[in-house]
Amino acid sequence: MPSVPYGWYAVLRSAELPTGKVVSLHYFGRALIAFRGADGRAAVRDAHCPHYGAHLGVGGKVVDGTVECPFHGWRFGADGRCVEAPFAVRTPKVSIGGFPVREHSGLVLVYVGPDGPGEQVEPGEPGEPGEPAWEVPEIEEAGSRRFASPIDDTCRARIHIQEMRENIVDESHFHFIHGQSEPPVQEWREDGPFAEARGTISRRVFGWDIQNTFDAFMYGPGVMVVRAHGPVLSVTAVALSTPVDDRTSELRMLYYLRKPRRLPFLTPLLKLVFRAEALGEVREEVRIWDHKIHQARPVLLPHEKGIRALRRWYAQFYPAPPGGVARPGAGVVEGAGMTEDAGMTEGRGAGMGKRAVEAARSEV
């Protein structure tokens, strides 16, 4: 599998990118920097200066909304173009590659498209992804006072991000990792780059069996929003999976716990209980991921229907093979089909986006 499927990825939380600071990053197998331009908008660019190769994030600084190279003082704007080169008769017409960027829901998102991350290029030459045909909708819980500030948990594993996403539809693992008595039955819907998995799970908390529903909205390969509701606790989990390099992926989880309406002062206690119950399970999964291999043709049991459905949908985010089109679901030894709902609203993501907004607003 290509290491970087096409789509939107979160590389920072907004609070991690203050004005006037250059932040070093490493994703998609390359060194990157992030900074804010003169208008305050976030930019994510290649980290190395085209002049002599210095890393702009190591000693570089923001000057008047541009990033200044620490070695020879060359400056680059938020669009990547060189705007100043000391001692040059004319400013060189060079740029540093970058990505389309969106910022909302407290996240800085970048788009990796068919042209891949930008290279150091002459203006007007290809080298940056084209403008995306779809967007990640805003996550309303991120700005709602009815939800506590998120529990932020980040881990990295030697696994492809596709398999991180397959975790949500891997029915059998819910028994062995999450204490579910039986594999849950899920409903699957898809609409272009968007998909949704719905189901019910039973969790045992301090000796009590508690029924919870979950609704997982997937926005391409890098962003998933899971809304879980139960009699004790409602949680929105934002799962951000991002390729680091050819062998490593990052999973950043932001858990937004809904404050009890009548007892909001219990929120810190609920956070402690949630950490004790949930984060250990994630670490157990990471330990397994670190040592598993990718099975291109897994032998699936009849009830293990979700992986087949997700792989078929996920195939659209990879480049088509030479002379052909990627075959959805290729490489899976099939069981029966997952429960699916084909009655989607026409238009790319229109129905799915509407459902996600309604689900969020019901809680916000």
Side-chain angles (χ1 to χ4, degrees):
M1 296 183 291
S3 61
V4 186
Y6 300 154
W8 288 99
Y9 296 97
V11 295
L12 284 167
R13 291 181 68 184
S14 295
E16 296 169 339
L17 188 60
T19 300
K21 182 178 179 181
V22 183
V23 177
S24 294
L25 304 168
H26 189 94
Y27 292 109
F28 321 119
R30 62 193 298 120
L32 304 169
I33 58 166
F35 65 100
R36 295 190 181 277
D39 59 1
R41 300 176 68 177
V44 179
R45 314 299 308 183
D46 190 273
H48 292 106
C49 180
H51 173 218
Y52 205 49
H55 194 299
L56 300 173
V58 181
K61 58 185 178 181
V62 176
V63 179
D64 298 329
T66 68
V67 61
E68 182 180 273
C69 177
F71 208 3
H72 302 99
W74 287 32
R75 295 182 184 178
F76 301 87
D79 62 357
R81 294 174 184 255
C82 180
V83 297
E84 183 176 333
F87 313 117
V89 177
R90 287 189 295 269
T91 302
K93 293 183 178 180
V94 294
S95 300
I96 49 176
F99 304 83
V101 175
R102 303 288 188 270
E103 186 172 8
H104 63 70
S105 309
L107 300 172
V108 176
L109 301 152
V110 301
Y111 179 75
V112 178
D115 293 326
E119 302 289 344
Q120 296 169 357
V121 295
E122 296 291 333
E125 292 184 358
E128 295 197 27
E131 280 300 307
W134 57 276
E135 303 282 343
V136 175
E138 291 192 21
I139 302 165
E140 296 197 18
E141 291 89 337
S144 172
R145 293 184 178 181
R146 294 189 177 184
F147 285 78
S149 59
I151 297 170
D152 189 343
D153 184 53
T154 302
C155 55
R156 291 188 174 188
R158 295 177 61 183
I159 191 173
H160 193 281
I161 65 164
Q162 177 179 314
E163 295 197 73
M164 286 182 167
R165 179 63 58 82
E166 288 176 4
N167 203 59
I168 192 68
V169 293
D170 177 3
E171 295 93 341
S172 294
H173 100 285
F174 279 92
H175 170 76
F176 292 97
I177 302 297
H178 303 294
Q180 175 82 12
S181 59
E182 297 289 337
V185 176
Q186 299 183 10
E187 297 178 22
W188 174 265
R189 296 159 56 91
E190 60 186 67
D191 191 0
F194 305 133
E196 177 187 1
R198 305 175 66 190
T200 302
I201 59 175
S202 176
R203 291 191 60 87
R204 193 168 186 82
V205 180
F206 297 134
W208 295 83
D209 290 321
I210 299 175
Q211 292 292 323
N212 298 272
T213 62
F214 71 88
D215 204 338
F217 294 92
M218 307 176 202
Y219 306 112
V223 180
M224 178 171 67
V225 180
V226 184
R227 295 181 172 95
H229 308 294
V232 176
L233 185 66
S234 291
V235 180
T236 295
V238 180
L240 308 168
S241 47
T242 307
V244 176
D245 53 37
D246 290 342
R247 303 182 65 185
T248 307
S249 300
E250 180 180 276
L251 177 64
R252 187 169 197 174
M253 298 293 302
L254 301 175
Y255 300 99
Y256 291 89
L257 277 62
R258 180 165 180 165
K259 301 174 185 177
R261 286 191 178 97
R262 297 180 180 178
L263 302 169
F265 60 87
L266 291 179
T267 301
L269 177 60
L270 290 175
K271 279 187 161 185
L272 287 174
V273 173
F274 184 86
R275 282 181 177 273
E277 289 289 318
L279 300 194
E281 295 174 1
V282 174
R283 290 297 178 272
E284 187 174 353
E285 289 173 322
V286 170
R287 185 168 61 250
I288 293 170
W289 290 342
D290 263 334
H291 298 279
K292 80 178 294 295
I293 63 170
H294 173 69
Q295 291 284 19
R297 293 181 59 82
V299 181
L300 300 178
L301 300 177
H303 72 276
E304 295 175 323
K305 306 163 189 175
I307 293 174
R308 182 177 68 90
L310 188 139
R311 287 192 177 185
R312 179 189 62 205
W313 169 77
Y314 207 98
Q316 68 184 293
F317 304 114
Y318 295 115
V325 177
R327 181 166 63 89
V332 176
V333 180
E334 299 181 3
M338 191 177 187
T339 302
E340 297 185 47
D341 184 346
M344 301 301 296
T345 305
E346 292 184 2
R348 174 163 286 189
M352 196 70 67
K354 182 179 180 181
R355 281 185 52 77
V357 169
E358 289 173 351
R361 287 179 176 170
S362 69
E363 287 300 306
V364 177

